[in-house]
Amino acid sequence: MPPRGIEEHNRRTGAPSYPAKGGRNYPPAGSRPSDTSRGRRWRFSGWGRKLGALLGVLILVALGAMVWVDLRLHRIDALTNYGGRPSGGSGTNWLLVGSDSRDDLSEDQQAELSTGGDTGGGRTDSIILVHIPFVGQATMVSIPRDSYVDVPGHGKDKVNASYALGGPQLLQQTVEQATGLRIDHYAEIGFGGFAGVVDAVGGVTICVEQPMDDPLAGINLQPGCQKLDGPTALGFVRSRHSMDDGDIGRARNQRTFLAALVKKALSPTTFLNPFRFFPFVSRMTDSFTVDKHDHVWNLARLGIGLGLSPRNETVPIASYESTDVGDVDVWDEDGAHELFTSLR
């Protein structure tokens, strides 16, 4: 029995009354934390440490993969600073170039891809300016390769002639002066690289609205949705003779396919599948050429912008004319000015 004073005190204060042992009160055995609950807390704590370690490993692997990809990128001195360059605007601008160079293709590969043989000098088969604002939707603007513009130091010529005359730097200067937009990043891919990237993701599904029969591009497609492999995809983005609107239709197909390719690359079937993801990354880094200041995180930002349904535009054309440099596309000056002003 506890002393009467202690019992009275416990009754008044509401404290539990325990049997006294040696003058001290002890709680009953059932009120102490059980061995089972203590073990459960230890198990939960152990799982927490394991989960933290796993997350740490995944972060290190991701950082390592990013460094590996960045080191594999082919870089060139593509962009130059010259007097009178446009100032930066409300976002960043990429110049994406599809080169028609056959330098890395064997004769068998040229035949498979229907490239038409060596043309004796590289030109740009496609030019796309991508504007990525700080906030909001990205915009892809196709610049028809036969656009009749001022080529610095060479007078009026087709825009793709600037690449043949002075490489990426002269193309950059030509596009900047024609559009008033500052080019911040550059990426280029050739025929063989493009086809290889498409095959690395397992092909890309495209919905064709009208028949496309173009022996020069090596394709014969019927209307409907279908998966295109590398060679067929290359023909799809190169063909202009199978459409009524020629270069304009080809530019539209190029934007459509590029957006579909990026979505396929970022989809779980590719991104979470190591048997597709690593071949894709390896093929991409082997095929792409970027400016010396560009990095994998810049490409990641570009990919996100293109994967989120960008706005599609083509430079407005006022007329088609025959000149001393061949048949050219003459821009609608007012429409082009309005378009490029909206991207500043």
Side-chain angles (χ1 to χ4, degrees):
M1 294 288 294
R4 182 172 301 175
I6 295 176
E7 185 178 15
E8 180 66 19
H9 172 77
N10 291 342
R11 184 181 64 79
R12 291 179 179 178
T13 61
S17 179
Y18 304 122
K21 294 182 180 180
R24 299 176 62 185
N25 290 340
Y26 292 91
S31 66
R32 295 183 179 182
S34 67
D35 292 341
T36 302
S37 63
R38 287 198 299 269
R40 187 179 299 114
R41 285 200 301 271
W42 277 109
R43 286 199 297 272
F44 288 161
S45 177
W47 276 111
R49 288 196 298 269
K50 291 178 181 179
L51 181 60
L54 177 61
L55 290 175
V57 170
L58 291 177
I59 291 174
L60 289 176
V61 170
L63 291 175
M66 184 178 296
V67 172
W68 173 70
V69 173
D70 194 62
L71 293 175
R72 286 175 57 90
L73 287 173
H74 295 282
R75 293 183 172 89
I76 61 173
D77 193 9
L79 303 180
T80 181
N81 285 315
Y82 59 88
R85 282 192 75 187
S87 59
S90 59
T92 58
N93 298 312
W94 279 83
L95 188 60
L96 305 184
V97 173
S99 170
D100 68 358
S101 174
R102 282 81 162 167
D103 292 343
D104 296 332
L105 299 178
S106 66
E107 291 185 1
D108 290 340
Q109 289 173 320
Q110 291 181 29
E112 179 187 6
L113 300 177
S114 300
T115 62
D118 193 353
T119 58
R123 291 201 175 195
T124 54
D125 199 62
S126 61
I127 304 171
I128 299 177
L129 191 153
V130 180
H131 174 73
I132 303 177
F134 295 128
V135 177
Q137 186 181 31
T139 301
M140 286 196 292
V141 181
S142 293
I143 300 177
R145 68 175 188 174
D146 292 338
S147 296
Y148 196 47
V149 296
D150 287 312
V151 177
H154 299 274
K156 283 277 193 178
D157 206 333
K158 298 179 180 182
V159 66
N160 73 335
S162 63
Y163 183 93
L165 293 169
Q169 292 188 352
L170 185 57
L171 174 63
Q172 167 219 349
Q173 188 174 354
T174 300
V175 172
E176 286 186 338
Q177 294 192 4
T179 64
L181 297 173
R182 185 184 184 92
I183 303 301
D184 304 295
H185 305 282
Y186 178 89
E188 175 186 325
I189 190 170
F191 283 166
F194 177 84
V197 168
V198 174
D199 284 336
V201 298
V204 175
T205 299
I206 288 292
C207 295
V208 180
E209 296 181 357
Q210 62 183 26
M212 296 182 64
D213 186 6
D214 188 351
L216 294 177
I219 60 168
N220 185 357
L221 301 178
Q222 298 303 312
C225 297
Q226 50 210 288
K227 181 177 287 188
L228 307 185
D229 61 8
T232 309
L234 181 61
F236 177 78
V237 300
R238 290 183 59 225
S239 176
R240 60 174 172 170
H241 299 291
S242 62
M243 292 170 289
D244 296 334
D245 47 1
D247 272 340
I248 304 302
R250 177 170 67 170
R252 182 174 58 251
N253 285 348
Q254 290 170 351
R255 295 192 306 270
T256 299
F257 192 88
L258 179 59
L261 174 59
V262 171
K263 285 186 178 181
K264 180 66 177 293
L266 297 178
S267 68
T269 57
T270 300
F271 194 74
L272 299 180
N273 183 350
F275 297 103
R276 278 192 178 171
F277 177 72
F278 286 105
F280 163 73
V281 171
S282 178
R283 177 68 71 170
M284 184 191 70
T285 54
D286 287 341
S287 305
F288 268 91
T289 299
V290 297
D291 180 62
K292 63 181 181 180
H293 297 298
D294 290 328
H295 294 279
V296 65
W297 43 90
N298 302 125
L299 287 171
R301 179 68 183 89
L302 171 66
I304 293 172
L306 295 180
L308 296 177
S309 300
R311 184 164 62 104
N312 292 309
E313 300 283 353
T314 299
V315 180
I317 303 299
S319 62
Y320 304 96
E321 300 180 7
S322 294
T323 68
D324 57 345
V325 297
D327 296 335
V328 299
D329 304 329
V330 179
W331 289 4
D332 177 344
E333 293 186 4
D334 291 338
H337 176 74
E338 181 180 354
L339 170 61
F340 294 124
T341 298
S342 69
L343 301 178
R344 293 175 187 166

